[in-house]
Amino acid sequence: MKLTLSSSPHLRTKRDTGQVMRLVLYAMLPGVACQLYFFGWGVMVQAIIALITAIATEAAILALRNKSVIRNLSDYSAVLTACLLAVSIPPTLPWWMTVIGTFFAIAIVKQLYGGLGYNLFNPAMIAYVVLLVSFPAAMTQWLPPVSLQATELNFADTLSLIFTGFSVDGMDITQVKTTIDGITSATPLDYVKTGLTQSQTYSELLNSGLFNSSVADSAAAGWSWVGLAYALGGLLLLRLKVISWHIPGSMVLSVIICALLMHLINPDIYASPLFHLLNGSVLFGAFFIATDPVSASTTQKGRLVFGAMIGFWIVIIRTFGGYPDAVAFAVIIMNMAVPLIDYYTRPRTYGYSRGKQ
Amino acid sequence: MSELKELTVEGLWKNNPALVQLLGLCPLLAVTATVINGLGLGLATMLVLIGSNVTVSLVRNIVRNEIRIPVFVMVIAAFVTIVQLLMNAFTYELYLTLGIFIPLIVTNCAIIGRAEAYASKNAVLPAAVDGLMMGAGFTAVLMVLGGMREALGSGTLLAGADRLFGSIATNWTITLFDTEQPFLLAILPPGAFLGMGLLIAVKNVIDARLAARQQPETKTVTRIRVTAES
């Protein structure tokens, strides 16, 4: 019998990094399928572009840093980053923007900081913000759901739109975006934000435009279904104990509480909690972005604070900020605060009472 | 002569005000959206540096130690005013583009730093060379950073060269690529910080390579292992 001598911890999880990352990828499938169903082929093409860029960049930089390329690539972290970015960006974004974003995420945010485990910030979210700041027009060109599109986009159209800027019939993105009613569509968040600045009330907005058609077909429903599908995948991750409940729980709760307080103060100008929760990327962010084990807080209490503050910033930035959605900004702000949170929420060492050394 | 050579190396590379001393970062990051803006501010800073270094060196034995800093600041302010008026007269458009950052040269720590650390202790000629080389080092960094940001952000180089060099430079602009959607990040302030960080990193890498090359290969001494293998 062979006795191994080693120091603690003696109980180890049986999963390695690659398996965890793969489980997260599998858990994204319901959401991705939903996006494919509602918004067409774009997300798949973006995922492929992002994947190729991510793997090539990661391999090149690992080779430059004299690290084992195969071993580090097989932890699937670059693949996950690429997929997280691909589902966050508009499905018809020009290909070179996706390439720039993915390159930035892997080369600068991840590898320049020392590779997996050393990055201060969530690579996918920094890439998203870099793209949003650099190309604000292209990054807000979201297609309406397939059922409302005046022109049906097939796979060839999508490809051609991404790589040349025009569909096979020569229509550009603004023409493609036009819905059956002849109205250029925006996302629900964008729509409500613009409407509110034009001094319409929130309840008026909910009964007009985007939200007017039957619930299942409306644009808002399309977005909400995608969010709920990601939440389903996220619950799967919770069940498999890949992520803990602290961050998504506190983040969702915090969004609800902050939005509810503001909604109660003035329901005409502040959107309802349900609207905040089901639109944009709150649910996706809560389960897939904020739970990134590297850039999130590491203590149990810290995670509660981290999630709650992200929720708070989401509602604040959405309501008072310049951009319609805020998950990426909120996550990045709180990534910066993680060292501080971790410092003040260190758990008590067993056998010592709090406050004494 | 060797002292002047050393001053040159110090100013341009080893003790570069922007890359090593990290002085004057505010104008450095604020005006480097194009090469020409960088060059314009760099030249202005260099002129002020040379002038203030020479003057401070000339008065170094007259000015009492207790009041030297106010005197240095006034000398620098005088030269900044001269440069500002000159730019107002001869390169009016560039003067408008650089705006507040020309008078702000007064507060550039690199200038008072050189006055205090070098010019107030040395003769006129070394002080002048020190000013020239520190200014040249600063200008070089401004131009490289401006070039990086301009090339990435708007796909051009030397845009607006006529603002600095007059009408002969109207068609000096090199267009690298045409785009309707410029990479705004490079032009916005974050791009300046990122570019600056990358430049410092590149300098450190080159320094490390040079140091590694200069170090003679250490002989590997093979020894008999005396402790038991655990």
Side-chain angles (χ1 to χ4, degrees), chain A residues 56-122:
Chain A
T57 314
E58 178 111 326
I61 293 192
L62 285 171
L64 275 179
R65 296 179 63 207
N66 298 325
K67 304 257 176 187
S68 156
V69 174
I70 299 299
R71 213 184 117 207
N72 282 294
L73 270 181
S74 63
D75 67 18
Y76 281 81
S77 61
V79 175
L80 183 60
T81 300
C83 288
L84 289 176
L85 179 65
V87 300
S88 316
I89 55 182
T92 50
L93 197 73
W95 65 274
W96 53 273
M97 293 187 190
T98 315
V99 170
I100 289 179
T102 320
F103 173 81
F104 203 91
I106 301 292
I108 293 184
V109 186
K110 189 171 151 201
Q111 293 293 347
L112 281 192
Y113 278 89
L116 182 66
Y118 295 96
N119 47 309
L120 295 180
F121 297 101
N122 188 315

Side-chain angles (χ1 to χ4, degrees), chain B residues 139-162:
Chain B
T139 311
V141 175
L142 280 167
M143 279 183 72
V144 173
L145 192 57
M148 279 165 63
R149 293 176 66 192
E150 193 183 343
L152 277 178
S154 32
T156 58
L157 277 177
L158 295 172
D162 52 322

Side-chain angles (χ1 to χ4, degrees), chain B:
Chain B
M1 203 60 208
S2 69
E3 196 195 342
L4 297 185
K5 201 175 165 188
E6 196 172 306
L7 281 176
T8 313
V9 177
E10 287 272 318
L12 289 179
W13 186 261
K14 267 196 202 161
N15 202 11
N16 187 303
L19 291 182
V20 180
Q21 304 177 46
L22 298 181
L23 292 177
L25 283 189
C26 164
L28 183 94
L29 298 173
V31 303
T32 52
T34 64
V35 181
I36 292 300
N37 283 2
L39 181 63
L41 191 88
L43 288 178
T45 311
M46 186 158 77
L47 287 178
V48 173
L49 251 174
I50 297 171
S52 71
N53 264 14
V54 168
T55 317
V56 166
S57 175
L58 281 173
V59 300
R60 70 183 191 281
N61 295 326
I62 309 166
V63 175
R64 292 185 56 146
N65 213 18
E66 291 83 357
I67 56 158
R68 67 185 196 283
I69 298 291
V71 171
F72 293 169
V73 172
M74 278 166 67
V75 168
I76 295 167
F79 277 103
V80 171
T81 313
I82 293 172
V83 168
Q84 189 185 357
L85 290 175
L86 283 175
M87 288 183 80
N88 196 344
F90 295 107
T91 57
Y92 184 63
E93 283 188 9
L94 188 69
Y95 171 79
L96 289 183
T97 320
L98 294 180
I100 185 70
F101 290 101
I102 303 171
L104 275 182
I105 295 174
V106 177
T107 61
N108 190 329
C109 309
I111 297 170
I112 191 132
R114 290 327 288 173
E116 164 74 8
Y118 195 84
S120 64
K121 292 166 195 152
N122 288 283
V124 175
L125 181 65
V129 173
D130 181 72
L132 176 70
M133 287 310 159
M134 285 289 164
F138 191 67
T139 311
V141 175
L142 280 167
M143 279 183 72
V144 173
L145 192 57
M148 279 165 63
R149 293 176 66 192
E150 193 183 343
L152 277 178
S154 32
T156 58
L157 277 177
L158 295 172
D162 52 322
R163 286 188 211 152
L164 185 60
F165 298 110
S167 52
I168 46 160
T170 21
N171 48 9
W172 282 11
T173 306
I174 306 161
T175 308
L176 301 175
F177 56 88
D178 268 319
T179 176
E180 285 171 19
Q181 289 164 317
F183 188 50
L184 284 181
L185 183 83
I187 304 173
L188 293 172
F193 282 102
L194 282 167
M196 187 65 194
L198 289 175
L199 279 184
I200 295 173
V202 168
K203 183 192 178 287
N204 288 348
V205 167
I206 294 175
D207 277 348
R209 289 271 163 86
L210 287 178
R213 196 180 296 168
Q214 272 175 2
Q215 214 159 38
E217 250 178 66
T218 45
K219 277 185 208 161
T220 46
V221 183
T222 47
R223 288 195 305 180
I224 301 161
R225 182 180 278 280
V226 284
T227 48
E229 197 150 5
S230 53

Side-chain angles (χ1 to χ4, degrees), chain A residues 4-338:
Chain A
T4 50
L5 293 175
S6 68
S7 62
S8 63
H10 304 292
L11 285 174
R12 295 197 180 85
T13 47
K14 294 189 181 66
R15 292 190 190 121
D16 61 21
T17 314
Q19 278 165 310
V20 170
M21 299 284 174
R22 278 198 297 275
L23 281 174
V24 178
L25 280 169
Y26 298 148
M28 281 172 71
L29 285 177
V32 174
C34 219
Q35 268 185 313
L36 279 173
Y37 175 77
F38 281 107
F39 299 101
W41 291 102
V43 63
M44 207 150 139
V45 183
Q46 298 293 353
I48 293 168
I49 299 171
L51 273 177
I52 294 171
T53 318
I55 291 172
T57 314
E58 178 111 326
I61 293 192
L62 285 171
L64 275 179
R65 296 179 63 207
N66 298 325
K67 304 257 176 187
S68 156
V69 174
I70 299 299
R71 213 184 117 207
N72 282 294
L73 270 181
S74 63
D75 67 18
Y76 281 81
S77 61
V79 175
L80 183 60
T81 300
C83 288
L84 289 176
L85 179 65
V87 300
S88 316
I89 55 182
T92 50
L93 197 73
W95 65 274
W96 53 273
M97 293 187 190
T98 315
V99 170
I100 289 179
T102 320
F103 173 81
F104 203 91
I106 301 292
I108 293 184
V109 186
K110 189 171 151 201
Q111 293 293 347
L112 281 192
Y113 278 89
L116 182 66
Y118 295 96
N119 47 309
L120 295 180
F121 297 101
N122 188 315
M125 284 304 101
I126 292 269
Y128 178 83
V129 168
V130 163
L131 290 176
L132 187 62
V133 169
S134 299
F135 313 109
M139 279 297 282
T140 42
Q141 302 278 9
W142 290 88
L143 290 175
V146 172
S147 57
L148 288 181
Q149 283 168 13
T151 41
E152 210 169 305
L153 277 185
N154 56 28
F155 189 67
D157 279 327
T158 316
L159 265 186
S160 150
L161 203 56
I162 290 173
F163 283 96
T164 64
F166 296 98
S167 70
V168 175
D169 304 328
M171 298 211 285
D172 69 4
I173 177 75
T174 336
Q175 290 167 309
V176 168
K177 265 180 70 184
T178 311
T179 57
I180 301 170
D181 315 335
I183 305 164
T184 314
S185 141
T187 64
L189 280 174
D190 215 0
Y191 180 75
V192 167
K193 195 174 179 69
T194 320
L196 287 174
T197 54
Q198 291 159 353
S199 63
Q200 285 176 284
T201 66
Y202 172 65
S203 47
E204 271 172 16
L205 286 165
L206 280 194
N207 286 317
S208 67
L210 281 177
F211 306 93
N212 209 3
S213 40
S214 75
V215 178
D217 285 341
S218 76
W223 291 97
S224 308
W225 284 120
V226 171
L228 288 172
Y230 278 115
L232 179 73
L235 291 175
L236 204 72
L237 288 181
L238 275 181
R239 180 85 180 74
L240 292 171
K241 294 203 166 73
V242 175
I243 55 177
S244 72
W245 60 271
H246 301 80
I247 292 175
S250 65
M251 183 169 150
V252 167
L253 198 68
S254 158
V255 167
I256 293 174
I257 291 173
C258 293
L260 187 67
L261 281 178
M262 291 170 68
H263 188 63
L264 287 178
I265 292 170
N266 191 347
D268 280 344
I269 52 171
Y270 300 125
S272 71
L274 199 65
F275 177 81
H276 274 296
L277 206 57
L278 290 180
N279 281 300
S281 48
V282 168
L283 289 171
F284 171 66
F287 288 102
F288 290 91
I289 300 292
T291 52
D292 171 25
V294 179
S295 56
S297 181
T298 49
T299 61
Q300 307 268 331
K301 256 191 273 172
R303 283 176 179 158
L304 289 174
V305 177
F306 180 75
M309 285 305 292
I310 291 179
F312 169 77
W313 283 120
I314 289 174
V315 177
I316 294 295
I317 298 176
R318 271 186 183 182
T319 315
F320 304 107
Y323 293 99
D325 206 355
V327 175
F329 292 108
V331 168
I332 291 170
I333 293 173
M334 289 318 291
N335 279 167
M336 283 190 258
V338 159

